[in-house]
């Protein structure tokens, strides 16, 4: 990809998952970010969206095709802290998409 900038993150990735974002609300897998083998789990989650735009929230609001923050195809989102990870919800805007998540610790 021309013009793609990759930044080095100061944290260590220790777990990964991919989720298909459909017309049902999707959430992150608690066993991934609350991993007891890593001294309390994740401090952040690095997400990328591949496919189609999605909508997301982390304040208790339920996202829909028209409600929530827009994360476009190719978009990047960083969630800081397990409260944001636990509250994160996403929903497809018009067609299914894939999000890739790397859970990070310090």
């Amino acid at each position: 990809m021309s013009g793609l900038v990759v930044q080095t993150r100061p944290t260590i990735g220790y777990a990964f998952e991919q989720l298909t974002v459909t017309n049902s609300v999707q959430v992150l897998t608690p066993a991934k970010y609350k991993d007891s083998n890593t001294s309390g789990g994740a401090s952040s989650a690095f997400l990328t969206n591949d496919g189609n735009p999605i909508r997301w929230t982390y304040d208790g609001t339920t996202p829909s095709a028209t409600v929530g923050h827009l994360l476009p195809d190719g978009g990047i989102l960083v969630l800081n802290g397990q409260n944001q990870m636990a509250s994160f919800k996403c929903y497809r805007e018009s067609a299914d998409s894939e999000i890739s998540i790397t859970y990070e610790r310090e």
Side-chain angles (χ1 to χ4, degrees):
M1 291 184 191
S2 177
L4 181 65
V5 176
V6 177
Q7 294 180 333
T8 303
R9 303 215 12 101
T11 51
I12 299 168
Y14 74 88
F16 178 83
E17 71 175 317
Q18 285 185 299
L19 299 174
T20 301
V21 182
T22 66
N23 62 349
S24 296
V25 172
Q26 303 296 313
V27 298
L28 302 180
T29 305
K32 295 284 186 177
Y33 61 83
K34 291 183 176 182
D35 181 16
S36 61
N37 293 327
T38 58
S39 302
S43 58
S44 59
F46 182 82
L47 292 84
T48 57
N49 182 33
D50 184 29
N52 294 292
I54 66 171
R55 297 283 178 166
W56 64 274
T57 63
Y58 68 89
D59 67 347
T61 302
T62 300
S64 70
T66 59
V67 173
H69 300 282
L70 177 66
L71 186 63
D73 176 26
I76 295 171
L77 174 66
V78 177
L79 298 172
N80 293 302
Q82 291 185 17
N83 288 337
Q84 288 185 1
M85 290 177 234
S87 300
F88 175 82
K89 299 176 187 176
C90 60
Y91 192 94
R92 73 179 195 186
E93 190 172 62
S94 61
D96 290 0
S97 194
E98 294 286 326
I99 58 173
S100 297
I101 306 105
T102 298
Y103 296 96
E104 303 170 331
R105 61 181 169 82
E106 295 185 16

